[in-house]
Amino acid sequence: AQSVAQPEDQVNVAEGNPLTVKCTYSVSGNPYLFWYVQYPNRGLQFLLKYITGDNLVKGSYGFEAEFNKSQTSFHLKKPSALVSDSALYFCAVRRVEGTGRRALTFGSGTRLQVQP
Amino acid sequence: DSGVTQTPKHLITATGQRVTLRCSPRSGDLSVYWYQQSLDQGLQFLIQYYNGEERAKGNILERFSAQQFPDLHSELNLSSLELGDSALYFCASSSRDRVFDTQYFGPGTRLTVL
């Protein structure tokens, strides 16, 4: 079985400061990793994914994430936060092979609050 | 806008009733996934269809069923509804049935069971 942990329910950061939203995963074999963002009363929007290759993945709206296999982590980062980045962020994992590989397993979500 | 549409946006019904949620995938996408988002369970995978065939099942209750039609739209049927079925139901679609395919989510249907 696979699982995702997002250890922080909420992250507060001032506008213009760098932000990090943490994610660790547990999966048998290799993982595919995803980040999604959910704004109020909206669906999940895809931000970025790690499939293979470069451990640093760049995505939408200036976000990036670093895959660290030894630490089983996939933290989301942005060099300079905007007030409009305030939303709920979800990390998700999918197994590369084996049963259960079709399902996305999500973390519990981290609420990002960017103060002006 | 992801290109995935879901209807209705909101649904209020009573316990014991049956409802149908509808999803239209992005143009050209063959896979459809259904997820349930609730406060206590978080986001959970329910079921996947690919080109009309069921491909994977998650934590879907026996009271729930789904299908994908020849035009690729999908419906999730929820019956004998209970208070605990109140949740946000998302549909997602992807181009094929490959593990690395990105799933694009619709805006969701909020179901309230009274």
Side-chain angles (χ1 to χ4, degrees):
Chain A
Q2 58 250 35
S3 64
V4 174
Q6 292 183 243
E8 301 154 318
D9 288 338
Q10 181 154 325
V11 169
N12 298 306
V13 64
E15 188 174 30
N17 283 1
L19 69 88
T20 299
V21 182
K22 295 179 181 177
C23 169
T24 59
Y25 65 90
S26 173
V27 69
S28 300
N30 294 312
Y32 288 146
L33 294 155
F34 302 79
W35 274 101
Y36 286 85
V37 59
Q38 185 177 24
Y39 295 97
N41 301 313
R42 303 281 293 277
L44 280 74
Q45 292 181 32
F46 169 72
L47 281 179
L48 52 80
K49 67 181 176 183
Y50 171 79
I51 302 299
T52 187
D54 194 349
N55 288 343
L56 184 63
V57 179
K58 293 190 184 295
S60 307
Y61 312 117
F63 284 94
E64 58 189 29
E66 185 161 15
F67 171 63
N68 188 318
K69 190 170 184 177
S70 62
Q71 296 186 3
T72 61
S73 67
F74 190 55
H75 300 332
L76 181 70
K77 300 182 181 186
K78 187 174 182 182
S80 178
L82 299 172
V83 172
S84 57
D85 292 330
S86 299
L88 190 55
Y89 289 80
F90 290 95
C91 180
V93 67
R94 218 175 170 184
R95 291 180 63 183
V96 173
E97 59 274 319
T99 57
R101 68 185 185 280
R102 291 185 165 88
L104 271 176
T105 298
F106 284 89
S108 54
T110 298
R111 187 162 300 281
L112 174 66
Q113 196 69 39
V114 181
Q115 282 106 19
Chain B
D1 185 4
S2 67
V4 178
T5 60
Q6 290 186 247
T7 56
K9 273 190 166 181
H10 303 277
L11 203 46
I12 301 174
T13 188
T15 54
Q17 294 299 304
R18 174 189 169 94
V19 297
T20 297
L21 313 184
R22 182 188 168 101
C23 167
S24 292
R26 295 186 319 157
S27 177
D29 282 2
L30 299 178
S31 271
V32 169
Y33 309 79
W34 286 96
Y35 290 85
Q36 180 194 58
Q37 185 179 33
S38 62
L39 283 174
D40 53 345
Q41 299 286 335
L43 262 164
Q44 291 211 320
F45 168 72
L46 295 178
I47 197 164
Q48 178 210 357
Y49 279 81
Y50 174 71
N51 205 18
E53 293 185 3
E54 182 184 303
R55 279 296 174 97
K57 257 186 174 179
N59 298 322
I60 188 166
L61 300 171
E62 284 191 17
R63 301 183 284 108
F64 295 2
S65 65
Q67 53 184 326
Q68 186 181 27
F69 294 86
D71 67 352
L72 301 176
H73 90 272
S74 177
E75 292 180 357
L76 179 67
N77 299 296
L78 315 176
S79 62
S80 302
L81 285 167
E82 302 174 0
L83 295 178
D85 297 327
S86 295
L88 198 47
Y89 291 84
F90 286 112
C91 167
S93 73
S94 66
S95 56
R96 297 291 183 268
D97 186 29
R98 298 166 302 193
V99 182
F100 53 82
D101 285 339
T102 298
Q103 295 180 27
Y104 294 92
F105 283 73
T109 292
R110 183 169 295 280
L111 173 66
T112 302
V113 182
L114 301 174

